[in-house]
Amino acid sequence: QVQLQESGPGLVKPSETLSLTCTVSGGSIRSNYWSWIRQSPGKGLEWIGKIFYSGSATYNPSLKSRVIISVDMFKNEFSLKLSSLTAADTAVYYCARDGILSTGWFDYWGRGTLVTVSS
Amino acid sequence: QPVVTQPPSASGTPGQSVTISCSGSSSNIGPNYVYWYKQAPGTAPKLLIYRNDQRPSGVPDRFSGSKSGTSASLAISGLRSEDEADYFCAAWDDSLSGLVVFGGGTKLTVL
């Protein structure tokens, strides 16, 4: 059974950079694409981007200038960096396993981690 | 950003059937697969339907998905109290450099 676990700070200051890591267990990170998705309080879901174990990444155009997603296949984990934070970036951040041929097929999710942007 | 539209709310009584719609465009739902997710309060979304109309193992056959043109639907029959949750549709969008777009979500209330 594949399991994903997000880790990182729960509170970040405005203008700083958020760093989150997703650790994958019960399966190899080489098998699929892997995505980050966020959900602002009381709002809908927003796809941030995805990465393959080779390091090839695709980002949401609305966030592309501020996002870097990287992968460490030896640690079986992938990471998110989001820079120039504002209060609008306050959200629950999820990592999820994505399809190989079809992006949007998120069959395994982490529990999510709440990130609050505040001074 | 591309838009996929869902009704904000839906409701039904136990045993009834309910349908949730998802309206997109020729750059997302039209040419690509649709996925449906169920999110209970305080939990991560759970995959309900993949590739328009396929159910993952463990998802009851009370849940069914369909797609026609640039729209998709999720049908739930034999409504149960545990079906009360938020439901989201999703699809790949071919515009710009490509991205996943989610519908705004539909809150289903079981009366």
Side-chain angles (χ1 to χ4, degrees):
Chain A
Q1 177 80 347
V2 176
Q3 293 185 315
L4 294 87
Q5 177 67 58
E6 304 91 350
S7 58
L11 179 65
V12 191
K13 290 182 168 52
S15 80
E16 292 190 342
T17 295
L18 169 66
S19 293
L20 296 175
T21 296
C22 181
T23 302
V24 179
S25 58
S28 173
I29 203 163
R30 301 185 187 206
S31 63
N32 286 66
Y33 277 91
W34 305 87
S35 279
W36 286 99
I37 297 154
R38 70 180 183 178
Q39 186 171 33
S40 301
K43 299 285 182 63
L45 299 163
E46 181 178 32
W47 179 75
I48 299 170
K50 68 174 181 177
I51 193 163
F52 198 51
Y53 77 92
S54 62
S56 172
T58 303
Y59 302 123
N60 186 324
S62 69
L63 297 169
K64 188 175 183 178
S65 64
R66 300 193 291 131
V67 173
I68 298 174
I69 298 176
S70 59
V71 64
D72 187 330
M73 60 180 174
F74 300 107
K75 292 184 177 180
N76 228 40
E77 62 185 34
F78 62 107
S79 299
L80 168 72
K81 289 190 186 302
L82 181 64
S83 61
S84 304
L85 293 172
T86 70
D89 295 309
T90 293
V92 175
Y93 286 75
Y94 295 101
C95 57
R97 190 175 83 164
D98 202 346
I100 295 177
L101 300 178
S102 307
T103 296
W105 187 344
F106 306 116
D107 56 353
Y108 290 98
W109 295 66
R111 289 187 170 187
T113 185
L114 174 62
V115 175
T116 301
V117 181
S118 174
S119 55
Chain B
Q1 283 251 313
V3 173
V4 173
T5 303
Q6 297 180 236
S9 64
S11 64
T13 57
Q16 275 189 334
S17 295
V18 66
T19 299
I20 296 171
S21 63
C22 175
S23 177
S25 70
S26 58
S27 63
N28 43 61
I29 291 178
N32 297 307
Y33 290 120
V34 176
Y35 301 85
W36 288 93
Y37 297 89
K38 173 185 178 182
Q39 186 177 33
T43 69
K46 171 191 169 185
L47 180 66
L48 211 53
I49 297 288
Y50 66 96
R51 292 193 167 182
N52 301 333
D53 57 10
Q54 303 298 302
R55 279 187 310 277
S57 61
V59 173
D61 59 7
R62 301 188 296 107
F63 294 88
S64 61
S66 64
K67 175 184 141 176
S68 178
T70 59
S71 294
S73 295
L74 173 71
I76 309 172
S77 62
L79 211 54
R80 304 174 67 159
S81 59
E82 57 261 40
D83 297 333
E84 185 161 296
D86 293 323
Y87 292 83
F88 296 90
C89 60
W92 180 256
D93 190 287
D94 294 327
S95 62
L96 304 171
S97 54
L99 73 161
V100 176
V101 288
F102 286 95
T106 298
K107 180 171 182 57
L108 175 63
T109 301
V110 181
L111 302 168

